[in-house]
Amino acid sequence: MNEAVFSQIAMLVFLTVLIGWMGFIVWDLAKKSQAGKFGTIALFIVLGAGVIGFIIKTVLVEIMQLW
């Protein structure tokens, strides 16, 4: 396994862990602020939009590199 393959795997693993940790932080924020069901959904949608945007950007870059 060379350095490039290791870096790609490590980045995928650590980004997945980071996104999961951010999800836990949002859930904990909603719980501690007593946001309720609607507030929790709103927090996940609004704060999760950045994560979704990052994933979409990554997928689009990979698709464009194939052309």
Side-chain angles (χ1 to χ4, degrees), residues 37-54:
K37 188 182 287 188
F38 179 73
T40 303
I41 292 170
L43 279 170
F44 272 102
I45 289 172
V46 172
L47 297 176
V51 173
I52 292 169
F54 178 77

Side-chain angles (χ1 to χ4, degrees), residues 4-58:
V5 173
F6 176 76
S7 294
Q8 187 175 11
I9 292 171
M11 186 159 158
L12 180 67
V13 169
F14 288 127
L15 275 177
T16 303
V17 170
L18 179 65
I19 290 170
W21 180 250
M22 288 173 24
F24 170 75
I25 290 171
V26 171
W27 174 78
D28 191 49
L29 176 67
K31 183 178 173 186
K32 286 183 179 178
S33 68
Q34 299 175 351
K37 188 182 287 188
F38 179 73
T40 303
I41 292 170
L43 279 170
F44 272 102
I45 289 172
V46 172
L47 297 176
V51 173
I52 292 169
F54 178 77
I55 292 170
I56 290 171
K57 179 196 69 98
T58 304

